[in-house]
Structure formats: structure tokens, C-alpha cells
């Protein structure tokens, strides 16, 4: 026995219904959510297990033996059970265990458990304790605790008799009583007749004796008459003799009459006694027959009345019916079927009610959604539409009527989905072929409506319907576009400001470096010039030549330094206002550059040009020469395995283009001078840094990082811009530097 004081009891609520299903061996195949909530177990822990894991130690083995005996006999078992929870508690239930059929085949058992009555729990506790102690005097009948009564076995066997057998027994008993009464009456009548015959015989014998006496008396009288004739004549006493003879005769007749009266009285008394005896026996037998018939009839009618009561309770919605009659005859089987039906109906209806409540909550939720919801059944007929969807359709009703003349927002329920599509066949094929959510977008007038069509599948992955989610995103899309434009403008402005700040800071840095470096360079060039003048006066010719060579090298290095300073000053935009500019026809500058760089290209490179000779860009020809040279050399370096370099000069009109150098939006006509290569392209992560001073991807010693920054400075001095188109995914597409010059 478990120490109850260490346990806590969970008391079920009235509305709690615990349901489990098992196979024929008692292995659990289904549990409902209430069971998991009450027992504290998880579904994974109980599916595939037997009910023994919930059995409380207080439950005697006899109860479960009776349960299996009952359900294996295909009867419903109803009893009080004490179960354990996973956390060590316990709870009492009234369990109804019934057979589970599928296609008229027994496939398992279903147990429906509810909160039991308090008095039933107390009665069960006492009985179960007695069973454990071995002093239980009662017995279990279909799970119910009952007391043993006299003739229990006979009553049990009689209750289990089939109706035909009971009626046959009734007929046999009735016939037997009738035969018995008939035979008894016949025997009594025979005895009575025999007594009457005896009396008649006695009377006849007595009458013969009287007649013989009379005859002897007459003879004696005749003799006396002969002898006394004379006396009679003499005495004339004839009347006296006649009177005396008559007197004797009267006394004999009176004696005979008295005998007849006594014989008749005795016969009547005997007859009356026999009649009373027969009446009493008949009454007793008839009473017993009536009681037996009543018992047999009630054994048929009472279960029928109980079955009728059960049906009435089920029809009124009460599925917790109590059935007392238990037998294996036709009525007993019918009542067992009713009880099993009530248990199953009780669960199904409670489960359906729960699902209906959940569906009601879902419907309320769907009704209050801001998105439109339309649900269709498996035949594509619309069965639900929420107010949000009605509002969406009402907003575009006039436009829809131009496409669907019969469309009405008030007549959507019951229509097929394809009714709303100008191509019904396409809609039917789309819905029938749904296996996952399909997003769609519709433009109705000036409204933009998105649709997400989703199939509704059952547990067997069969489509039983579909749901469509509608949303009018017109206002949101307009707001998004406005926001995107605002963000784009802000981003563009921020990028421009950042670029300007970066350029400004780099310009100041470059200007300072160039100024200081220029001062140093002036001293170098000046002292180098003095050394050159001093060398002219040198007497030693060999030393003179060596000094002049050295000064020439210093001069060459100084010239390169001067050019570098010019690049730095060009980037920093110093002295642009007073700068002198020599503009030459652009096609001539391009030809000069191509002639200069062509010898530096090996045979693995191909250099092409498509130039409009009528176009001239407004930039210093020297700077344009430097820009083209720089970009063509970079294109060559980007193609290690060789490739094609093409130069274009043409007029274009731009829209929504942004300069990669100054991050300015370009929307006008330009003269485009572009240099394209068929290399590997520039990575997206590098594009934003290519114009930064001293940034290079070349190995150390092969690049200064000032080439493209110088190009950017020169282009923006000429009010130009640079667009970079780069493709790293497609072969032979490479990079194109598009130099855009304003048209003057």
C-alpha cells in the first residue's frame, strides 16, 4: 500500500474528459490533451506503453482481471479507478471501457474517464482495501461492486437466457399448470362419482330390503287376512287394519327418506369439500404461474424500459447514463451496444464541442484579422470570407465588374473560386495543383492586391480545401516607394557629403604634402643645378663626366617628382581657377594614346576603338592623354591571360545613374568616353575604394595607388563623372570605366 499522506490528490473538474485508445493487447495508441494535462505525462512517453504505468498500487488485481474479462466478452466495463500522475500524485476517475470497432471489426478498446461521485469513491476505497486484505464479501459485476444474494447463480443464468427460451419456458409452465389442474379435477370427480355410486348402491340395497320386508309383510298380512277375514267381517275392523298397514309403511318410508337425506347431505358436503380443495389448489397454482409469468415478462420488459430510458437520455444530450441490467441475451446485448454507443457519443460530442469551440475562436480571430481571408472546400466552393476580405473586394468592386459582370461583394459565399478569374481553367488548375503556398500579385485598377494561396491538407496529405490570404498593399506600396525615394535621397546625400568630406580631407592632406615636398624638391633641384654649374669648371674630364651624369639622374628623378606633385595637386584641386587648358579634338588624343600604348601590348591583347570623330570633350588634352593611358594600362594589368580592350566615344542620355567617385545622381545627356576590358571584373567590396588615394590591389612595388584617384580629380575638375560597370560572374564581361563629360 502507498502512503497516502505523502501523496497529493488531483481532483478532476466536471468538464474534464480523459480519453485513451489501445490495441487489442492494451498498448496505448491515442491519448487526448486532457489526459496529458491531468497525468503530467508527455505524449511521447505514453504512446506505445500499457496502462500499467498509470496504475496506482491501491488498485487490486481483481479489478483489472474483471475489466479484461468484461471487455474481452465485448461488454462495457464501468468502474472506479485510482491512477497515478508522473509527479507522484493521484486522481480518481470513473472509467468506461468499451470496444472499438472499425468496419465491423474489433480493433481495440477505448477508455473514457470522468470525475466520479464522492460516494462511489468512498465505496471503492473500502472494497479495494478489503480485496487487498482478502476479506471482501461481495463481487465485481462489469466493474460494479455488488453484494452476493441467494440464488445468484440461478438468477444470473436466468437473466442470460435468450428471449425465445424465456417465452418457451413460460409456455411450458403454463401448459404444465393447466394439465395439472385438469388432471387434479378429473381425479377428484372420479372419486366423487365413486362415492355417489356407493351411496346409490347402498340406497338400492336398502330399498330392496325394504321391498322384501314389504313383500313379506304383505304375505303375512294376506295370511293374517285369511285368518282374520271372519274376524274382520265380524268386527268390521277393516279400516283399522288398513290404517295399521299404512302406518308401518309410512315409518319405513320415513326411515328410507331419512337415509336418503343423510346420504345426500354427506354427498353434498363431500362435493363442497372437494370443490373448495380444488379451488384452493387452482388458486395456488395460478398465483405461482402469474408470479412466474410476471417475473419472466419483467425480465424482458424491464430491460426494454431501461433501454428506452437510455435512448431518451441520449436523445436529450445526457451521455453519462447508468445501466443496471447486464446479461448476454438479445436485450442485454442491445443495452451493451447502447452503453458503448453512449460512451463513444459522449466522447465524440464532447470532442466535437471542444473542436467547435476552437473553431469558434478561430473564426472570431479570422473575423478580426486585418488581412482578408477566403476559405474554399475541396470542390473549390467558397465557405468563408472575413470582413477584411469583403472590404478589400468592396474597394475594387467597380473595377472587378468590368472584368466579371456578375460580381457582387454581397454574393461571394457559395461561389466557386474560378468565378473571380477571367481564365477559369487557369484558376482551377492552380488550385487543384497546390502543394504549398503560392504568392500572387494582382493589379486591379490603381489598387495592388497580394494573394497567398495555401492548400488545406488532412492527415493523409489529401487536399480538403484551400485558403487564400488577401491584402491590399496599395497604400503601403506607395508609402514604401516614397520612403525608398526619401531614403535613397538621404543615402545619396550622405554619401555625397561623406565623399566630399573625404575628398576635402584628402585634398588638404595631399596639398600639405605636395607643398612641403615641393619646397624640398626646390632645394634639391637648386643644389643639383649648382652642382652642374660647378662641374663645368672641373679640370678632370672623367670626374666632370661622372658629376654631370649624377646631376642628370637627379634631374630626371626631380622631373618625376614634379609630375607626381602635379598629380597630387590635381587631386586636391589646387589652382584650378587660374589653370590654362589646351583642348584638342578628342579623336586625335585617342589616336595618340593608342599609337603610344600599342607597342607596349603583346600579341595576346587586342586593342579596338569605336570613336565618333564629331564629338569633343572639354578637358585639357594632356590630362585626357594621362587619363586614357592610366585606364588602358590598368585594363592590361587586369587581364593576365590576354584579352580585348575597347575604347568608345559616343553621346548618351542617363537616368538614375550615380557617379562612383562623387556619389552624385546623374540625369542628363553626356558624352561618354569608355574603356572596356574582358578581364575578371572588380569585386563589389573593392568598388567603393578604387578612387581612394594610395589604395591599390597590386603587389608592393608595382603601384602607387594614385592612378585612379588622379583620374577622379582630373575628371571632376572638368565637371565630369565616372561610372564603373563590373561583372565578376559572367566570363569575358570584365570592367568598363565610363567617363561622362558634359555637353557644351
Amino acid at each position: 500500500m502507498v502512503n497516502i499522506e505523502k501523496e497529493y490528490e488531483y481532483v478532476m473538474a466536471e468538464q474534464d474528459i480523459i480519453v485513451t485508445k489501445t490495441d487489442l493487447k492494451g498498448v496505448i495508441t491515442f491519448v487526448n490533451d486532457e489526459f496529458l494535462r491531468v497525468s503530467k505525462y508527455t505524449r511521447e512517453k505514453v504512446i506505445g506503453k500499457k496502462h500499467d504505468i498509470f496504475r496506482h498500487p491501491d488498485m487490486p488485481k481483481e479489478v483489472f482481471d474483471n475489466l479484461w474479462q468484461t471487455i474481452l466478452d465485448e461488454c462495457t466495463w464501468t468502474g472506479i479507478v485510482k491512477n497515478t500522475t508522473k509527479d507522484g500524485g493521484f486522481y480518481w476517475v470513473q472509467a468506461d471501457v468499451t470496444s472499438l470497432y472499425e468496419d465491423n471489426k474489433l480493433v481495440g478498446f477505448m477508455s473514457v474517464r470522468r470525475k466520479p461521485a464522492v460516494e462511489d469513491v468512498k465505496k471503492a476505497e473500502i472494497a479495494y482495501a478489503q480485496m487487498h486484505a482478502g476479506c471482501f464479501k461481495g463481487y465485481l459485476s462489469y466493474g460494479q461492486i455488488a453484494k452476493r444474494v441467494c440464488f445468484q447463480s440461478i438468477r444470473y443464468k436466468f437473466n442470460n437466457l435468450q428471449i425465445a427460451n424465456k417465452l418457451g419456458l413460460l409456455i411450458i409452465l403454463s401448459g404444465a399448470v393447466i394439465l395439472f389442474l385438469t388432471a387434479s379435477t378429473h381425479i377428484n370427480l372420479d372419486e366423487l362419482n365413486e362415492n355417489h355410486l356407493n351411496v346409490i348402491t347402498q340406497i338400492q340395497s336398502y330399498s330392496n330390503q325394504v321391498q322384501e320386508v314389504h313383500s313379506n309383510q304383505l304375505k303375512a298380512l294376506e295370511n293374517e287376512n285369511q285368518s282374520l277375514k271372519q274376524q274382520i267381517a265380524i268386527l268390521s275392523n277393516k279400516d283399522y287394519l288398513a290404517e295399521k298397514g299404512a302406518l308401518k309403511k309410512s315409518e319405513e318410508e320415513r326411515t328410507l327418506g331419512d337415509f336418503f337425506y343423510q346420504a345426500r347431505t354427506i354427498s353434498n358436503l363431500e362435493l363442497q369439500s372437494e370443490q373448495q380443495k380444488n379451488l384452493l389448489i387452482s388458486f395456488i397454482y395460478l398465483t405461482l404461474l402469474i408470479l412466474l409469468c410476471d417475473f419472466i415478462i419483467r425480465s424482458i420488459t424491464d430491460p426494454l424500459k431501461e433501454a428506452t430510458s437510455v435512448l431518451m437520455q441520449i436523445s436529450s444530450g445526457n451521455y453519462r447514463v447508468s445501466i443496471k441490467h447486464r446479461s448476454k441475451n438479445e436485450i442485454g446485448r442491445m443495452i451493451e451496444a447502447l452503453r458503448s454507443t453512449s460512451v463513444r457519443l459522449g466522447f465524440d460530442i464532447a470532442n466535437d464541442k471542444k473542436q467547435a469551440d476552437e473553431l469558434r475562436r478561430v473564426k472570431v480571430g479570422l473575423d478580426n484579422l486585418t488581412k482578408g481571408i477566403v476559405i474554399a472546400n475541396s470542390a473549390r466552393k467558397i465557405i468563408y470570407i472575413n470582413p477584411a476580405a469583403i472590404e478589400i473586394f468592396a474597394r475594387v468592386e467597380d473595377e472587378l465588374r468590368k472584368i466579371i459582370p456578375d460580381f457582387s461583394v454581397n454574393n461571394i459565399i457559395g461561389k466557386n473560386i474560378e468565378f473571380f478569374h477571367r481564365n477559369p481553367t487557369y484558376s482551377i488548375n492552380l488550385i487543384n495543383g497546390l502543394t504549398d503556398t503560392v504568392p500572387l500579385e494582382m493589379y486591379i485598377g490603381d489598387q495592388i492586391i497580394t494573394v497567398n494561396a495555401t492548400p488545406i491538407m488532412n492527415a493523409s496529405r489529401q487536399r480538403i480545401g484551400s485558403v487564400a490570404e488577401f491584402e491590399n498593399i496599395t497604400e503601403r506600396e506607395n508609402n514604401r516607394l516614397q520612403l525608398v525615394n526619401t531614403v535613397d535621397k538621404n543615402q545619396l546625400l550622405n554619401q555625397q557629403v561623406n565623399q566630399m568630406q573625404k575628398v576635402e580631407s584628402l585634398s588638404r592632406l595631399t596639398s600639405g604634402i605636395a607643398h612641403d615636398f615641393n619646397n624640398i624638391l626646390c632645394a634639391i633641384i637648386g643644389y643639383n643645378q649648382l652642382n652642374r654649374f660647378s662641374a663645368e669648371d672641373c679640370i678632370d674630364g672623367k670626374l666632370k663626366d661622372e658629376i654631370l651624369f649624377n646631376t642628370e639622374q637627379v634631374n630626371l628623378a626631380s622631373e618625376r617628382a614634379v609630375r607626381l606633385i602635379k598629380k597630387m595637386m590635381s587631386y586636391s584641386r589646387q589652382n584650378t581657377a587660374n589653370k590654362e587648358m589646351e583642348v584638342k579634338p578628342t579623336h586625335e588624343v585617342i589616336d595618340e594614346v593608342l599609337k603610344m600604348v600599342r607597342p607596349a601590348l603583346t600579341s595576346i591583347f587586342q586593342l579596338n576603338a569605336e570613336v565618333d570623330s564629331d564629338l569633343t570633350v572639354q578637358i585639357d588634352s594632356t590630362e585626357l592623354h594621362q587619363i586614357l593611358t592610366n585606364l588602358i594600362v590598368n585594363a592590361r594589368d587586369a587581364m593576365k591571360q590576354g584579352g580585348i580592350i575597347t575604347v568608345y566615344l559616343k553621346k548618351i542620355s542617363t537616368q538614375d545613374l550615380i557617379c562612383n567617385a562623387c556619389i552624385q545622381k546623374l540625369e542628363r545627356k553626356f558624352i561618354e568616353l569608355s574603356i572596356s576590358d574582358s578581364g575578371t571584373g572588380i569585386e563589389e567590396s573593392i568598388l567603393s575604394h578604387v578612387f581612394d588615394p594610395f589604395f591599390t590591389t597590386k603587389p608592393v612595388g608595382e603601384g602607387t595607388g594614385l592612378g585612379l584617384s588622379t583620374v577622379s580629380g582630373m575628371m571632376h575638375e572638368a565637371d565630369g563623372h565616372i561610372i564603373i560597370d563590373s561583372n565578376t560572374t559572367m566570363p569575358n564581361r570584365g570592367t568598363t570605366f565610363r567617363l561622362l563629360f558634359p555637353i557644351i
Side-chain angles (χ1 to χ4, degrees):
M1 297 286 289
V2 174
N3 188 354
I4 304 298
E5 295 179 354
K6 295 183 179 179
E7 297 180 306
Y8 74 91
E9 180 179 4
Y10 175 85
V11 180
M12 294 178 59
E14 292 293 339
Q15 65 273 14
D16 286 343
I17 299 179
I18 295 176
V19 180
T20 59
K21 295 179 182 178
T22 69
D23 60 13
L24 295 175
K25 295 182 179 180
V27 177
I28 299 173
T29 59
F30 168 84
V31 293
N32 67 342
D33 294 337
E34 281 79 1
F35 172 84
L36 300 176
R37 178 176 56 81
V38 173
S39 67
K40 307 297 190 301
Y41 282 89
T42 61
R43 185 170 276 104
E44 292 76 13
K45 291 291 184 181
V46 298
I47 297 297
K49 300 291 191 305
K50 290 192 175 183
H51 272 279
D52 296 348
I53 63 175
F54 318 121
R55 183 183 299 180
H56 195 278
D58 286 353
M59 291 299 299
K61 179 177 178 295
E62 292 88 340
V63 175
F64 296 98
D65 290 342
N66 179 255
L67 185 150
W68 278 106
Q69 180 182 356
T70 301
I71 61 177
L72 290 177
D73 201 24
E74 298 185 14
C75 296
T76 302
W77 187 89
T78 301
I80 304 299
V81 178
K82 187 177 184 180
N83 287 334
T84 60
T85 61
K86 186 180 180 182
D87 54 2
F90 70 93
Y91 58 97
W92 287 95
V93 294
Q94 176 186 314
D96 294 316
V97 185
T98 186
S99 302
L100 194 62
Y101 292 89
E102 289 183 5
D103 298 328
N104 295 325
K105 181 180 179 182
L106 180 65
V107 296
F109 306 100
M110 180 174 70
S111 175
V112 179
R113 282 157 280 182
R114 298 179 174 88
K115 179 181 179 181
V118 177
E119 55 273 14
D120 291 340
V121 173
K122 292 180 179 179
K123 181 179 178 182
E125 282 185 305
I126 296 172
Y128 296 165
Q130 292 175 350
M131 290 181 190
H132 278 294
C135 58
F136 182 59
K137 301 299 183 181
Y139 71 100
L140 291 173
S141 175
Y142 302 93
Q144 298 296 300
I145 300 170
K147 295 181 178 180
R148 297 187 182 277
V149 295
C150 297
F151 309 110
Q152 178 181 329
S153 177
I154 297 175
R155 291 182 60 183
Y156 176 78
K157 292 180 180 179
F158 182 78
N159 283 334
N160 288 331
L161 284 177
Q162 304 297 316
I163 296 177
N165 294 336
K166 289 183 178 180
L167 292 176
L169 179 62
L170 179 62
I171 293 172
I172 291 172
L173 290 175
S174 300
V177 170
I178 293 171
L179 289 175
F180 175 79
L181 292 176
T182 303
S184 176
T185 303
H186 181 72
I187 292 171
N188 292 333
L189 289 175
D190 287 343
E191 291 179 355
L192 187 60
N193 290 333
E194 186 177 354
N195 292 335
H196 278 288
L197 288 175
N198 292 333
V199 171
I200 292 171
T201 302
Q202 292 176 1
I203 292 172
Q204 185 67 37
S205 175
Y206 188 76
S207 177
N208 292 332
Q209 291 177 2
V210 171
Q211 289 179 359
E212 185 178 354
V213 170
H214 275 287
S215 177
N216 293 330
Q217 287 179 353
L218 288 174
K219 289 180 179 180
L221 288 174
E222 287 179 357
N223 292 328
E224 288 179 1
N225 191 23
Q226 291 294 331
S227 62
L228 294 176
K229 281 182 180 181
Q230 296 176 354
Q231 296 178 6
I232 293 171
I234 297 173
L235 295 174
S236 301
N237 200 16
K238 186 177 181 180
D239 294 334
Y240 169 76
L241 292 175
E243 181 181 355
K244 185 178 180 181
L247 180 61
K248 291 182 179 180
K249 185 177 181 181
S250 174
E251 289 177 356
E252 293 172 353
E253 288 177 353
R254 271 199 307 274
T255 301
L256 183 61
D258 291 339
F259 181 79
F260 273 121
Y261 175 78
Q262 292 177 359
R264 186 179 64 184
T265 301
I266 293 172
S267 178
N268 288 337
L269 289 174
E270 291 178 352
L271 179 61
Q272 184 178 3
S273 176
E274 289 296 329
Q275 288 177 344
Q276 290 176 351
K277 181 180 178 181
N278 289 337
L279 182 62
L280 179 61
I281 294 174
S282 299
F283 176 77
I284 293 173
Y285 277 100
L286 287 175
T287 301
L288 292 175
L289 179 61
I290 291 172
L291 291 176
L292 185 59
C293 291
D294 179 69
F295 177 71
I296 294 174
I297 292 172
R298 280 192 294 106
S299 69
I300 298 174
T301 58
D302 288 351
L304 289 176
K305 290 179 181 179
E306 188 172 9
T308 304
S309 176
V310 170
L311 287 174
M312 293 299 293
Q313 292 184 62
I314 293 176
S315 65
S316 63
N318 178 21
Y319 302 100
R320 297 188 65 174
V321 294
S322 176
I323 298 178
K324 298 179 180 179
H325 180 79
R326 297 279 190 168
S327 66
K328 296 181 180 180
N329 58 23
E330 298 93 331
I331 299 177
R333 291 294 183 183
M334 181 187 70
I335 294 179
E336 285 294 335
L338 285 176
R339 178 159 183 77
S340 179
T341 301
S342 69
V343 172
R344 184 69 178 267
L345 281 176
F347 164 68
D348 289 343
I349 292 178
N351 193 47
D352 290 344
K353 184 179 181 299
K354 179 182 177 182
Q355 292 180 356
D357 292 339
E358 293 176 354
L359 289 175
R360 190 176 296 108
R361 288 193 292 268
V362 171
K363 182 181 183 300
V364 172
L366 292 176
D367 288 343
N368 289 279
L369 282 179
T370 57
K371 291 185 178 181
I373 302 296
V374 176
I375 300 176
N377 59 18
S378 58
R380 304 183 307 280
K381 184 172 291 186
I382 295 175
I383 58 176
Y384 170 80
I385 179 170
N386 71 342
I390 293 176
E391 183 179 351
I392 291 173
F393 287 126
R395 192 169 181 178
V396 295
E397 184 173 12
D398 294 337
E399 293 294 333
L400 284 174
R401 282 179 178 170
K402 296 178 182 178
I403 305 172
I404 310 168
D406 296 334
F407 178 80
S408 173
V409 74
N410 299 320
N411 193 23
I412 295 178
I413 298 293
K415 295 290 186 180
N416 285 352
I417 295 178
E418 58 266 23
F419 173 76
F420 303 100
H421 202 284
R422 67 175 64 190
N423 186 352
T425 303
Y426 171 80
S427 178
I428 293 172
N429 294 334
L430 175 65
I431 297 299
N432 291 339
L434 279 180
T435 57
D436 202 352
T437 300
V438 176
L440 302 171
E441 193 169 273
M442 299 187 302
Y443 293 86
I444 304 176
D446 59 348
Q447 303 296 305
I448 306 173
I449 299 175
T450 60
V451 184
N452 289 322
T454 305
I456 302 175
M457 302 290 188
N458 61 12
S460 302
R461 297 297 300 168
Q462 295 177 335
R463 189 180 63 82
I464 59 175
S466 56
V467 57
E469 178 185 349
F470 291 83
E471 184 178 10
N472 192 326
I473 64 170
T474 306
E475 184 175 354
R476 188 178 70 189
E477 188 66 17
N478 292 336
N479 293 335
R480 188 188 69 81
L481 292 176
Q482 292 178 1
L483 180 61
V484 168
N485 291 333
T486 303
V487 171
D488 288 344
K489 290 178 181 179
N490 291 335
Q491 288 180 346
L492 183 60
L493 181 60
N494 291 334
Q495 290 175 348
Q496 290 175 350
V497 171
N498 292 336
Q499 185 68 17
M500 290 174 62
Q501 291 175 347
K502 182 171 66 174
V503 170
E504 180 66 23
S505 61
L506 290 174
S507 296
R508 290 180 181 180
L509 175 63
T510 304
S511 176
I513 294 173
H515 184 269
D516 293 338
F517 188 62
N518 191 48
N519 292 335
I520 297 171
L521 189 58
C522 287
I524 294 173
I525 292 174
Y527 281 107
N528 188 60
Q529 190 67 31
L530 290 174
N531 289 334
R532 188 178 183 83
F533 290 153
S534 299
E536 293 292 341
D537 298 332
C538 186
I539 299 174
D540 189 347
K542 184 177 180 180
L543 180 60
K544 178 181 178 180
D545 292 339
E546 185 176 351
I547 294 173
L548 290 175
F549 176 78
N550 292 335
T551 56
E552 180 64 25
Q553 295 302 316
V554 172
N555 188 55
L556 291 175
S558 298
E559 288 180 357
R560 289 197 296 272
V562 169
R563 288 195 296 272
L564 179 59
I565 290 174
K566 286 183 178 180
K567 289 182 180 180
M568 295 173 66
M569 295 301 292
S570 175
Y571 178 78
S572 62
R573 302 184 182 181
Q574 298 295 322
N575 301 322
T576 58
N578 300 323
K579 180 180 178 180
E580 295 182 0
M581 185 173 61
E582 180 185 1
V583 180
K584 294 173 60 175
T586 303
H587 70 278
E588 294 181 4
V589 178
I590 294 174
D591 290 340
E592 291 175 3
V593 173
L594 295 181
K595 289 178 182 179
M596 182 186 69
V597 300
R598 202 179 294 274
L601 300 177
T602 60
S603 60
I604 62 175
F605 294 97
Q606 181 179 345
L607 185 60
N608 300 326
E610 295 182 12
V611 177
D612 186 347
S613 58
D614 295 333
L615 300 177
T616 299
V617 298
Q618 298 299 312
I619 188 172
D620 184 76
S621 57
T622 302
E623 293 183 353
L624 181 59
H625 192 284
Q626 185 177 353
I627 291 172
L628 287 171
T629 301
N630 199 328
L631 293 178
I632 291 175
V633 170
N634 284 347
R636 180 202 63 185
D637 294 342
M639 298 184 292
K640 301 298 184 182
Q641 305 299 324
I644 301 173
I645 301 174
T646 305
V647 180
Y648 297 92
L649 181 63
K650 58 186 177 180
K651 186 183 294 186
I652 65 166
S653 178
T654 64
Q655 187 176 5
D656 294 335
L657 290 179
I658 296 177
C659 176
N660 288 86
C662 65
I663 319 299
Q664 181 178 340
K665 193 172 184 178
L666 310 176
E667 292 184 352
R668 55 176 174 163
K669 293 182 179 181
F670 290 94
I671 296 175
E672 179 183 313
L673 175 61
S674 61
I675 297 89
S676 301
D677 65 64
S678 58
T680 57
I682 302 175
E683 297 291 339
E684 184 70 25
S685 59
I686 299 176
L687 279 176
S688 59
H689 301 288
V690 295
F691 296 111
D692 294 346
F694 311 110
F695 176 83
T696 180
T697 58
K698 296 179 181 179
V700 179
E702 294 187 13
T704 62
L706 291 173
L708 291 179
S709 62
T710 302
V711 170
S712 173
M714 293 178 180
M715 285 295 299
H716 286 89
E717 283 183 14
D719 197 20
H721 298 279
I722 305 175
I723 305 294
I724 303 177
D725 295 334
S726 181
N727 193 318
T728 58
T729 58
M730 299 182 65
N732 301 325
R733 294 297 297 271
T735 304
T736 299
F737 279 82
R738 301 170 62 188
L739 309 178
L740 305 181
F741 296 92
I743 298 176
I744 299 177

